[in-house]
């Protein structure tokens, strides 16, 4: 149990600091409201007024999803590569084969992004 005490103390300090910061910012911060600040903001697309009972008329561009997929693909790749690189010697051939399969899966996703135009920023 003594091993977890510093972690719990650090978690308590972080939680206290977060709560303190939010409270102080709401008390001390400026309160100048205007119409632009009160509008909803969603992914850089201006909100549309929809008549009652109708579906939204504007679709989100596919480029948004391709960019999100690209981030997820490479973020997950890096997260799994670090522990593998640290324990490469201990894993042996099994670890090498598992990582080869993982890299193959990531390469398939990368080729899909490339073919769909997710890497071209126009």
């Amino acid at each position: 149990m003594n091993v977890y005490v510093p972690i719990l103390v650090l978690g308590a300090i972080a939680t206290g600091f977060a709560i303190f910061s939010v409270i102080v910012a709401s008390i001390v911060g400026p309160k100048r409201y205007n119409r632009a600040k009160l509008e909803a903001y969603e992914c850089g697309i201006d909100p549309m007024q929809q008549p009652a009972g109708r579906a939204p008329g504007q679709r989100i561009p596919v480029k948004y999803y391709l960019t999100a997929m690209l981030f997820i693909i490479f973020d997950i790749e890096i997260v799994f590569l670090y522990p593998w690189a640290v324990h490469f010697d201990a894993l042996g051939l099994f670890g090498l084969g598992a990582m080869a399969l993982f890299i193959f899966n990531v390469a398939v996703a990368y080729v899909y992004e490339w073919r769909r135009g997710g890497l071209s920023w126009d």
Side-chain angles (χ1 to χ4, degrees):
M1 185 64 180
N2 291 337
V3 178
Y4 296 110
V5 171
I7 296 172
L8 293 174
V9 169
L10 183 62
I13 291 172
T15 303
F17 179 74
I19 292 170
F20 174 76
S21 297
V22 169
I23 291 171
V24 169
S26 66
I27 293 171
V28 178
K31 294 169 183 61
R32 293 184 294 264
Y33 299 108
N34 59 27
R35 186 171 183 240
K37 283 186 178 181
L38 297 177
E39 283 186 9
Y41 179 76
E42 185 76 27
C43 303
I45 300 172
D46 292 331
M48 298 173 40
Q49 297 294 332
Q50 297 295 327
R54 284 192 57 192
Q58 184 179 6
R59 292 182 170 201
I60 296 175
V62 175
K63 184 76 170 173
Y64 173 78
Y65 295 109
L66 290 176
T67 305
M69 280 177 49
L70 189 66
F71 172 75
I72 290 170
I73 289 166
F74 291 111
D75 186 41
I76 290 174
E77 178 183 7
I78 295 302
V79 165
F80 284 120
L81 279 177
Y82 276 127
W84 175 77
V86 169
H87 291 288
F88 177 71
D89 292 338
L91 295 174
L93 286 177
F94 174 76
L96 184 63
M99 191 49 64
L101 287 174
F102 177 72
I103 295 294
F104 176 74
N105 287 336
V106 171
V108 168
Y110 178 73
V111 168
Y112 175 76
E113 280 280 335
W114 187 11
R115 300 282 292 177
R116 294 288 297 186
L119 299 177
S120 61
W121 303 102
D122 40 40

